[in-house]
Amino acid sequence: MKVEKVWSEERKEWIAVVELWSEEEKEWRKEIVNYIYGIGVDDEQFQGVTLSDGRVKVYHNGLPWIADKWYKEITINSTQFSRRPIGERTYEVMTTEGKKGLYISTVFPMRDPKQIIPAEFDMIRTTSMAIGVRKDGKSGLYSYEGKIIVPIEYSRIITGKKVIVVIKNEVEPWEDKYAIFGDKDIGLAALSSRKSEGIYGVYSYDGKHILEDIYVKIEEKSTGIKAWVDEKNYKMFSYDGEEM
């Protein structure tokens, strides 16, 4: 990517100009750039281009890598989760308004990224099983295919090995720290060791609401789901939601 220094009579200073491909206009055009920086991921080299007004776009081999629009910030997530396909990469974007979205490249770097989560959230967290989002104080869950599997209406979400526990109306001093996932995604065992206010329910990873949001506590056991109806009484359910 060649940078050209030209004199700006309007600014009375030398400015950096680079010729960039505009996906929106389907043509090459010269843009005034603030700076260009390199990004290395898995031996692939990308170029981050920041314009004078703060907009950012990432290029690969001279062409836009995330071509939909300019963003304030683009982060290539190099984390490779053990349960995700080899060669998959995600890209977190942030708009000038501070809202976040997510793109995914299923065959890195051979296939261009596609947007799976719109740039309208306050927080995004990726795990091996799903993607957590938070907006206006409420959390939800997306699949890696871009499908909403847990509606964005919960105080807290805990991803287990086989099911997802959701909590409404939870008030805890550390809720902001674990706004989307609880206990750093280690499962549900920690639920049994502490008392927590809130209403619990259960979803499957394909988006089925297995247990309604009516329980005072939920535990994922090796044999099924233990759902407490009050402090002394519980019911056992299969992972499909059938009472045992």
Side-chain angles (χ1 to χ4, degrees):
M1 188 173 291
K2 185 179 179 181
V3 181
E4 180 183 359
K5 289 285 188 177
V6 299
W7 177 259
S8 171
E9 190 64 33
E10 180 182 353
R11 297 188 180 189
K12 302 299 181 182
E13 64 179 355
W14 292 93
I15 59 175
V17 175
V18 65
E19 191 173 45
L20 300 173
W21 174 257
S22 172
E23 189 68 20
E24 298 91 341
E25 300 173 10
K26 302 297 181 184
E27 66 178 8
W28 293 89
R29 57 178 295 174
K30 290 188 175 181
E31 297 275 6
I32 301 173
V33 299
N34 191 12
Y35 59 92
I36 296 176
Y37 56 95
I39 307 170
V41 181
D42 293 352
D43 298 325
E44 290 290 328
Q45 291 300 312
F46 296 81
Q47 298 82 43
V49 178
T50 303
L51 298 187
S52 58
D53 61 4
R55 293 180 297 158
V56 176
K57 188 176 283 188
V58 171
Y59 283 74
H60 182 241
N61 293 330
L63 294 174
W65 185 241
I66 293 178
D68 295 52
K69 61 183 68 175
W70 291 86
Y71 289 100
K72 181 180 180 181
E73 186 177 304
I74 299 175
T75 304
I76 301 178
N77 301 319
S78 58
T79 302
Q80 178 65 56
F81 293 113
S82 59
R83 298 187 184 184
R84 300 302 307 163
I86 296 175
E88 179 184 86
R89 288 292 181 270
T90 56
Y91 311 82
E92 186 173 311
V93 298
M94 185 171 69
T95 67
T96 53
E97 294 80 21
K99 298 299 182 181
K100 296 181 179 181
L102 200 74
Y103 287 72
I104 190 169
S105 172
T106 53
V107 185
F108 178 88
M110 303 299 294
R111 190 169 298 170
D112 290 347
K114 67 174 183 178
Q115 190 168 15
I116 56 173
I117 297 179
E120 59 184 47
F121 295 99
D122 304 318
M123 186 187 299
I124 291 179
R125 288 185 184 170
T126 54
T127 73
S128 60
M129 301 294 286
I131 304 164
V133 297
R134 191 161 175 85
K135 180 179 181 180
D136 299 330
K138 299 296 181 182
S139 298
L141 213 61
Y142 274 80
S143 70
Y144 275 86
E145 291 69 43
K147 174 187 174 184
I148 296 178
I149 53 179
V150 174
I152 305 157
E153 59 185 51
Y154 292 95
S155 303
R156 184 169 170 234
I157 294 173
I158 304 175
T159 52
K161 293 181 179 179
K162 295 185 178 181
V163 294
I164 304 160
V165 170
V166 295
I167 312 173
K168 281 185 175 180
N169 305 327
E170 184 183 44
V171 179
E172 295 191 352
W174 44 265
E175 191 216 352
D176 287 342
K177 186 176 180 181
Y178 300 111
I180 296 174
F181 299 119
D183 305 306
K184 296 185 179 179
D185 197 27
I186 61 173
L188 311 182
L191 285 174
S192 60
S193 62
R194 61 179 178 79
K195 185 177 179 180
S196 174
E197 296 179 359
I199 303 171
Y200 287 65
V202 177
Y203 282 79
S204 66
Y205 279 100
D206 60 5
K208 181 182 177 183
H209 201 170
I210 298 174
L211 298 182
E212 295 298 317
D213 309 332
I214 58 174
Y215 298 96
V216 299
K217 186 169 66 174
I218 296 286
E219 298 175 64
E220 183 185 73
K221 300 294 188 181
S222 59
T223 55
I225 304 167
K226 190 174 184 179
W228 295 80
V229 294
D230 54 40
E231 293 298 325
K232 296 182 178 181
N233 301 291
Y234 65 86
K235 296 180 180 180
M236 289 297 298
F237 295 88
S238 69
Y239 293 122
D240 294 322
E242 298 294 328
E243 188 169 356
M244 301 166 64

